[in-house]
Amino acid sequence: PNLAGLSELETYAYFHRSHFFRIKNQLDSTSFYLKQAYSIANHTKKHKELVNICINIAYNYSLQGNYSLAVFFYKKAEDAADSLHLHNDVYSSIHTGLAKVYLDLNNFKLSDYYLKLAEKNYKKMSPDKQYIFACIKANYLYIIKDYIKSLEWYIRANNATSKFRLNTYRGITE
């Protein structure tokens, strides 16, 4: 049997199962399946998959309020992306995630730093990533009381939803 293919299938199965539990807001189960996917991908040297898995582990930790592990896994994703010379889209996700973590920690200097890094590729981001970035940027600007620019970014978030297949998010940004 093709053990490499089986390991890859296991990695994807655990990774996608984690999304199911995240949707159900069962973050402990999400962590369990992401860690299983990470373990297999790391063991089989599937470094490209590791980047995505690390981003998702980091995001899950940030949802749980475990910001130190969130930063750790975002940095791990960044290191893996550096070693693979991946494209800017991956870095935008990492930098947006780090900006959100630092915003949650009220570290506005680092949040601004990572927002600026992510914003460099804003026009190249997919609509869903533009939406996430624009919401975080708008929240950051609102918190630092730059209400005019904050509104501009909320409008950008709303405009990004026009490209979505479902209109669910449009109501959130209007």
Side-chain angles (χ1 to χ4, degrees), residues 40-80:
I40 294 168
N42 194 38
H43 180 71
T44 58
K45 308 284 190 246
K46 296 288 184 185
H47 297 290
K48 194 168 185 181
E49 284 83 7
L50 275 176
V51 174
N52 243 349
I53 293 167
C54 285
I55 290 170
N56 279 272
I57 290 173
Y59 177 68
N60 197 61
Y61 277 128
S62 72
L63 291 175
Q64 294 173 311
N66 191 337
Y67 299 118
S68 58
L69 280 175
V71 170
F72 175 78
F73 276 96
Y74 278 126
K75 293 293 190 176
K76 207 169 191 46
E78 190 173 42
D79 290 343

Side-chain angles (χ1 to χ4, degrees), residues 57-173:
I57 290 173
Y59 177 68
N60 197 61
Y61 277 128
S62 72
L63 291 175
Q64 294 173 311
N66 191 337
Y67 299 118
S68 58
L69 280 175
V71 170
F72 175 78
F73 276 96
Y74 278 126
K75 293 293 190 176
K76 207 169 191 46
E78 190 173 42
D79 290 343
D82 286 345
S83 69
L84 295 169
H85 307 290
L86 293 180
H87 52 83
N88 292 332
D89 186 47
V90 171
Y91 290 100
S92 295
S93 296
I94 295 166
H95 296 148
T96 300
L98 285 165
K100 173 72 169 99
V101 167
Y102 288 117
L103 181 60
D104 288 348
L105 292 170
N106 293 328
N107 186 332
F108 304 122
K109 184 177 179 180
L110 280 175
S111 184
D112 182 52
Y113 172 77
Y114 285 109
L115 284 168
K116 285 178 180 170
L117 287 177
E119 190 175 350
K120 290 178 184 177
N121 299 306
Y122 180 76
K123 290 183 180 181
K124 295 178 184 176
M125 291 179 194
S126 62
D128 59 318
K129 290 182 181 174
Q130 285 180 339
Y131 169 77
I132 292 166
F133 174 83
C135 285
I136 293 169
K137 177 86 175 189
N139 289 339
Y140 164 78
L141 291 165
Y142 186 85
I143 289 170
I144 65 165
K145 300 184 184 336
D146 190 342
Y147 302 119
I148 303 295
K149 286 184 182 173
S150 176
L151 180 58
E152 290 171 11
W153 279 98
Y154 280 123
I155 291 169
R156 284 190 190 193
N158 188 42
N159 290 340
T161 64
S162 69
K163 300 172 190 155
F164 290 4
R165 215 166 34 116
L166 301 173
N167 289 333
T168 309
Y169 291 93
R170 191 154 187 91
I172 295 170
T173 58

